[in-house]
Amino acid sequence: MKESLAHFTQPFDRRDYAVLGGMSSGGAANGHCIYCNHCQPCAAGIDIGIVSKYMDLALAGDDLARKHYNDLKIHASACIKCGRCDKNCNFGVKPSARMAQAVKVFGK
């Protein structure tokens, strides 16, 4: 347990989220967002992980996800396409492309 909790004492940029669910950084999660927010910080202030989660839920048919997305203060349309999130992702996800997809899904 101490080893697991030590994760939270690490600086944000040194945290390794690959262990979630027994995944390795080249394994099952590769190319799939796991909402870890390792892509942060976002220059535009978007909570990329939660936007991605709401989008995936909406695409799966969860109508409540759209309401939650609409309640966010900053939507995916605020993305300035700086690419910082893409460089920070450990799982081969292109968060900037997911933000563009979220705009199509949610309309803002």
Side-chain angles (χ1 to χ4, degrees), residues 4-84:
S4 295
L5 292 174
H7 165 83
F8 297 103
T9 63
Q10 293 291 318
F12 188 76
D13 63 343
R14 300 223 23 209
R15 293 181 185 180
D16 181 8
Y17 292 89
V19 297
L20 294 176
M23 300 177 236
S24 66
S25 49
N30 199 27
H32 301 283
C33 182
I34 61 167
Y35 324 118
C36 67
N37 267 339
H38 210 92
C39 52
Q40 298 288 37
C42 173
I46 301 167
D47 184 337
I48 297 168
I50 202 70
V51 167
S52 291
K53 182 177 182 178
Y54 291 158
M55 179 178 67
D56 288 344
L57 289 169
L59 291 172
D62 184 340
D63 293 329
L64 193 55
R66 182 172 301 278
K67 181 204 177 305
H68 289 308
Y69 178 83
N70 287 331
D71 289 343
L72 292 173
K73 291 181 182 176
I74 303 173
H75 297 104
S77 57
C79 178
I80 60 172
K81 298 170 185 50
C82 68
R84 181 188 299 174

